[in-house]
Amino acid sequence: MAYQFAGFLAPSDGEIINSSALPAESLIRRITTPFVGVGIRLPSLVGMTPSADEINALAAATGIAQAKSWLYLAYDTWGNIDSVYALGVQDGKQFGPIDDSNSQTVETTFVDVMARIGVDAKNALQFSPFVRGFWAPQA
């Protein structure tokens, strides 16, 4: 079964999210492993490749841009990683957009962009917020 994610990931020790700036179907979750921070799932952006300007505007509006490092990630997998689209900030410096769907390089690209927010290769490839059910609506 395929798994798709589009949204923001940010290590942060404080509350940085302005939820009123998010689309209605968005989900916000605290992340405790492999880093302490926040994630925002944006279902309306799954399968999309928004421009850097669009991502930066949403990051600013939501407050995620206040984090020292943050990542916008669109990720598709069907057993193996099929595609990665990423843009973010690492230690205050912007990177991306990075767009890779080459079966020979996409896993390395995914590991590389996850490293920019402090996630090592092992934890990137077994990223706990991508375990089914993590983003399920909560009562």
Side-chain angles (χ1 to χ4, degrees):
M1 186 168 207
Y3 181 81
Q4 297 177 302
F5 174 85
F8 292 104
L9 303 168
S12 174
D13 53 3
E15 186 59 42
I16 58 173
I17 303 303
N18 173 8
S19 59
S20 66
L22 292 169
E25 74 282 359
S26 301
L27 297 168
I28 302 169
R29 296 285 184 269
R30 294 298 300 161
I31 296 173
T32 57
T33 186
F35 61 80
V36 174
V38 66
I40 304 172
R41 186 171 192 276
L42 301 165
S44 63
L45 295 180
V46 168
M48 309 294 282
T49 52
S51 71
D53 288 342
E54 291 170 306
I55 293 167
N56 285 320
L58 188 54
T62 62
I64 203 92
Q66 295 175 35
K68 182 178 169 185
S69 296
W70 58 267
L71 173 65
Y72 171 82
L73 178 68
Y75 168 88
D76 290 297
T77 182
W78 183 271
N80 296 311
I81 301 169
D82 295 312
S83 66
V84 171
Y85 179 77
L87 180 139
V89 170
Q90 178 183 15
D91 295 325
K93 292 187 177 185
Q94 184 140 14
F95 64 89
I98 298 165
D99 192 0
D100 192 350
S101 58
N102 180 319
S103 63
Q104 302 299 309
T105 60
V106 70
E107 183 175 301
T108 299
T109 299
F110 174 71
V111 168
D112 289 347
V113 298
M114 294 298 282
R116 293 175 182 256
I117 57 168
V119 178
D120 65 28
K122 179 183 178 220
N123 284 307
L125 295 171
Q126 298 173 358
F127 193 54
S128 57
F130 289 170
V131 171
R132 293 196 194 285
F134 183 88
W135 296 100
Q138 298 175 344

